[in-house]
Amino acid sequence: MGNIIELTDFSAPELDVYARLTERQLMNRDCPQDGLFIAESPKVIDRALCAGYEPVSLLMERKRLNGEEKDIIARCGDIPVFVSDVEVLCRLTGFPLTRGTLCAMRRRPEPTVEEVCAGAKRVAVLENIQNPTNLGAIFRSAAALGMDGVLITPDSTDPLYRRCVRVSMGTVFQVPWTHIGTEAADWPETGLARLRALGFKTAAMALRDDSVSIDDPALLAEEKLAVVLGTEGDGLGATTIAECDYTVRIPMSHGVDSLNVAAASAVAFWELRAR
């Protein structure tokens, strides 16, 4: 049952991935083929394995060896499985392992925009979303509410950031996604032109007087629609809004002027889903 290793030496380099490497170091921008990420909890790890991600090692409480993690361990082959008591693990990682199990996994090359959009009727485009909690929640809504893919602008946070993966409940491994460009200059004009070339109309979610309501029949009639959502504080950029085919707003009540981007995404994805 795996290569079980009792933790005795916290300085072992094999544990750097869990205790000492930053998210940026895990990503390894200079050599992305060697990049890693952390998945936590059996459900999230299971979804990553089902999506074909390669496990490198596991870190877990000893008592979980014969729990639901047993199947996870069996599926991971002969990788190292580091185990100890929860108190020891808390000292190692610096915080409680509330879900008891972490898995270091290898990143994969991202698909192209064209591959993500092939056959898609509805895609979400996320402009400069910086908060990993929001990004994870948006992915979860995208998976549940009818989005066929997610496109992320270059200045957004990493979907494989540990908190994002956790908040998404592993849906970052279920919904096809990629970056729409690699440099800031690739968005918005170039990226939106790329979507138009793929047959998509674009709907900018923005609070403007000239916006159409989210239940406008013209939106629902579009065969292929890209729903564009902006950053947490400022929303979408003016150029992005100007370049989109529609500007769309969610009607508000009781003097509320806006929703958090994660909440707005759930409303937009449900209302604008392909019928």
Side-chain angles (χ1 to χ4, degrees):
M1 184 180 70
N3 178 17
I4 309 300
I5 301 173
E6 183 74 25
L7 281 179
T8 57
D9 182 6
F10 285 179
S11 66
E14 295 86 354
L15 298 179
D16 286 350
V17 62
Y18 299 108
R20 289 175 284 275
L21 296 184
T22 66
E23 293 287 344
R24 184 173 294 275
Q25 288 171 322
L26 287 172
M27 186 185 297
N28 198 354
R29 288 185 182 275
D30 293 335
C31 196
Q33 66 270 22
D34 295 328
L36 301 171
F37 67 92
I38 303 295
E40 59 182 274
S41 86
K43 177 178 288 188
V44 171
I45 296 168
D46 172 71
R47 288 178 172 169
L49 291 172
C50 288
Y53 285 89
E54 178 188 351
V56 174
S57 66
L58 285 156
L59 175 68
M60 66 177 63
E61 295 178 58
R62 185 186 297 103
K63 69 179 183 180
R64 294 180 178 267
L65 287 173
N66 293 308
E68 60 181 317
E69 282 84 350
K70 189 173 182 179
D71 177 62
I72 295 291
I73 294 170
R75 292 168 61 192
C76 287
D78 197 37
I79 66 170
V81 181
F82 299 105
V83 300
S84 191
D85 295 326
V86 64
E87 295 80 10
V88 175
L89 295 178
C90 288
R91 293 203 304 272
L92 171 64
T93 62
F95 56 88
L97 295 179
T98 55
R99 292 172 178 84
T101 304
L102 304 178
C103 185
M105 310 189 90
R106 296 194 189 281
R107 290 173 176 263
R108 298 189 313 196
E110 291 184 20
T112 65
V113 171
E114 289 72 20
E115 288 170 337
V116 169
C117 291
K121 299 296 184 182
R122 295 292 186 268
V123 297
V125 183
L126 310 181
E127 180 181 274
N128 303 344
I129 304 295
Q130 297 292 323
N131 187 305
T133 298
N134 282 335
L135 190 64
I138 293 170
F139 262 93
R140 193 170 182 182
S141 293
L145 302 174
M147 294 295 106
D148 300 311
V150 176
L151 304 175
I152 304 158
T153 66
D155 286 338
S156 291
T157 197
D158 176 26
L160 295 183
Y161 185 91
R162 181 166 164 179
R163 180 177 291 276
C164 180
V165 172
R166 180 170 68 246
V167 172
S168 80
M169 289 300 294
T171 55
V172 292
F173 308 124
Q174 296 177 308
V175 181
W177 63 268
T178 196
H179 284 85
I180 185 163
T182 57
E183 305 291 339
D186 294 331
W187 180 265
E189 291 96 333
T190 302
L192 290 169
R194 200 169 177 182
L195 285 168
R196 283 194 293 271
L198 292 169
F200 283 88
K201 291 299 181 74
T202 51
M205 302 299 302
L207 298 169
R208 290 165 51 116
D209 293 337
D210 60 350
S211 301
V212 299
S213 177
I214 196 169
D215 59 357
D216 190 295
L219 289 167
L220 303 182
E222 293 291 355
E223 180 181 0
K224 300 172 74 173
L225 188 67
V227 182
V228 189
L229 294 131
T231 187
E232 292 85 350
D234 298 328
L236 290 172
T239 302
T240 301
I241 296 171
E243 292 286 332
C244 282
D245 299 297
Y246 297 95
T247 306
V248 183
R249 70 182 300 149
I250 300 170
M252 300 285 164
S253 302
H254 299 292
V256 176
D257 61 356
S258 65
L259 292 173
N260 167 274
V261 65
S265 73
V267 175
F269 297 163
W270 171 253
E271 186 64 36
L272 300 176
R273 71 195 187 282
R275 301 303 204 269

